[in-house]
Amino acid sequence: MKFKSDFPIILASQSPRRQELLGMLGVDFLVVPSTKDEPDPAQFQTPLGYVLACAEQKAQEVAQTHKGAVVIGSDTIVVLDGEILLKPKSKEQAKGYLQKLSNRTHEVITAVTVVQGDSELTFHEAVKVTFYELPEAWIDLYIGTDDPYDKAGAYGIQTVSGLFVKRIQGDYNAVVGLPIAGLTQKLVAAGFISLEGSGVRC
């Protein structure tokens, strides 16, 4: 299956994982990362409010300079006991995150905002992820790699740290960084993409 669009499609993210997932549609798209700093989580009453604001900020910023394009902004956070675990800034922080997540169930929330002209649609997927109990040696070896430091919560389910995951409840791709199945449904319903060769938008 391959989709097509009558609009320029822009992904407002430099994440290679999101690019790979959006590429599943087969539709041409440009990558134009947002350059604004993400807002301070402390300004928001809930983790969901924060991640929704981040996704909207990315999409709206890029849409301002790409009029008429369909701009997709997305953001992912890891939440444990109401605390947002962002990308770790040090080995110590990465280790602390993984120690907290060990043998626990946490939530991964990915929010998506799609902007085209004056229209905007936003949705999110929340996924429960349960970790095995992590031996200290596993954590120490893992944080010595480059893998944890560009990922919320200091792990990526699609990389070697996926070995930490005992169970997930929800959309795997939302944990990776883009709920592509749900996004496809939204883009088709809005008339932004259609199935190539079908002759109709479906």
Side-chain angles (χ1 to χ4, degrees), residues 14-83:
Q14 62 186 357
S15 164
R17 298 170 291 278
R18 293 192 180 109
Q19 293 171 37
E20 182 178 356
L21 287 167
L22 187 58
M24 290 171 60
L25 300 184
V27 68
D28 292 333
F29 66 93
L30 298 174
V31 174
V32 183
S34 168
T35 58
K36 284 185 179 179
D37 291 336
E38 292 178 347
D40 181 357
Q43 297 175 348
F44 298 86
Q45 294 185 344
T46 65
L48 177 58
Y50 169 73
V51 73
L52 288 170
C54 288
E56 182 181 34
Q57 176 179 294
K58 291 177 181 180
Q60 286 289 359
E61 179 198 346
V62 174
Q64 287 176 9
T65 54
H66 294 81
K67 304 296 184 182
V70 175
V71 181
I72 301 165
S74 183
D75 198 72
T76 301
I77 57 172
V78 170
V79 182
L80 180 68
D81 297 333
E83 178 187 0

Side-chain angles (χ1 to χ4, degrees), residues 85-172:
L85 307 184
L86 299 173
K87 297 174 184 177
K89 297 179 180 178
S90 66
K91 284 187 177 182
E92 291 73 21
Q93 191 172 46
K95 184 170 185 174
Y97 283 177
L98 293 170
Q99 287 173 330
K100 289 179 180 180
L101 296 172
S102 176
N103 204 32
R104 297 284 309 279
T105 296
H106 61 274
E107 189 172 47
V108 177
I109 308 174
T110 292
V112 180
T113 295
V114 180
V115 175
Q116 197 282 321
D118 294 329
S119 69
E120 176 181 309
L121 64 89
T122 298
F123 72 100
H124 74 279
E125 294 284 350
V127 184
K128 299 291 186 184
V129 180
T130 302
F131 269 23
Y132 287 102
E133 185 170 356
L134 303 182
E136 198 80 2
W138 287 31
I139 295 175
D140 289 340
L141 286 171
Y142 178 62
I143 64 173
T145 71
D146 293 332
D147 198 59
Y149 302 101
D150 67 338
K151 298 173 180 67
Y155 80 96
I157 197 169
Q158 75 286 355
T159 70
V160 66
S161 52
L163 298 175
F164 303 163
V165 177
K166 182 178 183 179
R167 179 174 57 253
I168 73 167
Q169 297 169 269
D171 184 348
Y172 171 87

